[in-house]
Amino acid sequence: MPVLKYEEIAESIRSRISDGEFGPGDLLPSGRDLSEQWGVSRATVVKAMDVLRNDGLVEARQGAGFTVVETPLARPAGKRRAGSARVAGGAPYKRLGVPDRAVPPVHVSAALGIELGEEALRRVRLVQLHDGSPQSLVTAWFPAAVADACPRLAQNAPIAEGTTNYVRRQTGRFPVEGTDITTVRLGSDAEARHLSLEQPVAVAVVLHTAYDQDGQALVCEEGVTPSHLYEEVDNYPMS
């Protein structure tokens, strides 16, 4: 399927941001400049910017144009339905520790389809409410094949374009199916500490696994959210 012009423009800007040409807060080329550069209408440029804005990569500044976001957003685990914008449900976050290689829990190894005892790349983030208090503790596990091909996953700095876009650019692999499993249990002492909760505390746990076009796992995320902050809403037709 051919790439549409606005998608090509969006990908070009995304790559320039990823390569450091434009940093957080930097002003992007104007709509007029991009129209002339690409030989397209202003409407096509606007569509490209809408893609980047939905990815949480740029924001509009009144009277100035578009700038690269200064505060990257992240989402709790799960609910990555097709067509959902990356900023939907997104919130400020902070990285906990440094990404490292470790042996995942048994259920995560099973979800990733790797051997027991095999290491995967671990990235931990604390998604925050807008007042800065903890919302969800998310541990993302990437199989070695993905981690080896995507060295920036091992860095502590945020990936402005998002891990999905980065992994796709590096490997050609992208998520086509997701599985979310939600359970409820008591939180561990470490989870309670990160979430600023007193024990004992009930938590909702979402295990999200994304599979690529060949049915292979790209990432498994385990999100732990205090029970009083977790809500699942499902709207469906009834006949």
Side-chain angles (χ1 to χ4, degrees):
M1 183 176 178
V3 177
L4 299 177
K5 203 66 178 180
Y6 75 89
E7 295 174 324
E8 187 178 351
I9 296 170
E11 182 59 28
S12 173
I13 295 174
R14 186 181 287 117
S15 297
R16 294 168 74 181
I17 293 172
S18 177
D19 292 341
E21 182 178 346
F22 301 112
D26 285 353
L27 183 66
L28 295 175
S30 69
R32 177 182 298 176
D33 288 344
L34 289 171
S35 295
E36 293 177 356
Q37 176 186 342
W38 289 88
V40 297
S41 68
R42 292 287 293 276
T44 299
V45 173
V46 169
K47 289 182 70 174
M49 288 301 178
D50 283 343
V51 170
L52 297 173
R53 183 158 50 180
N54 286 337
D55 276 350
L57 195 55
V58 306
E59 59 187 357
R61 291 283 179 87
Q62 188 172 4
F66 285 92
T67 60
V68 181
V69 297
E70 297 189 60
T71 304
L73 301 179
R75 290 187 287 182
K79 299 182 181 179
R80 309 298 174 89
R81 297 183 184 277
S84 66
R86 183 174 159 227
V87 293
Y93 74 97
K94 64 179 181 180
R95 183 72 55 199
L96 297 183
V98 177
D100 62 354
R101 304 259 181 158
V103 176
V106 173
H107 63 285
V108 173
S109 294
L112 290 174
I114 63 177
E115 297 291 333
L116 291 179
E118 183 178 343
E119 290 188 340
L121 178 69
R122 175 175 57 187
R123 291 167 59 91
V124 184
R125 66 181 183 271
L126 184 67
V127 182
Q128 301 170 310
L129 298 172
H130 289 287
D131 64 0
S133 60
Q135 177 188 10
S136 186
L137 178 67
V138 182
T139 304
W141 297 90
F142 295 86
V146 174
D148 291 343
C150 305
R152 288 180 60 201
L153 292 176
Q155 298 175 5
N156 211 32
I159 299 174
E161 64 186 297
T163 56
T164 299
N165 288 320
Y166 172 59
V167 169
R168 182 170 188 162
R169 286 202 305 114
Q170 292 292 111
T171 68
R173 300 169 61 186
F174 53 91
V176 298
E177 183 179 2
T179 298
D180 292 351
I181 301 173
T182 304
T183 55
V184 177
R185 59 169 171 78
L186 291 176
S188 69
D189 289 342
E191 291 164 348
R193 184 174 65 255
H194 286 305
L195 294 169
S196 300
L197 301 170
E198 292 185 5
Q199 287 281 50
V201 61
V203 294
V205 182
V206 177
L207 187 71
H208 165 76
T209 308
Y211 299 94
D212 67 11
Q213 57 271 44
D214 295 321
Q216 301 297 309
L218 285 169
V219 63
C220 180
E221 290 188 340
E222 188 166 47
V224 179
T225 305
S227 58
H228 68 280
L229 294 178
Y230 185 85
E231 181 179 63
E232 180 72 29
V233 178
D234 190 13
N235 296 311
Y236 51 88
M238 297 180 67
S239 57

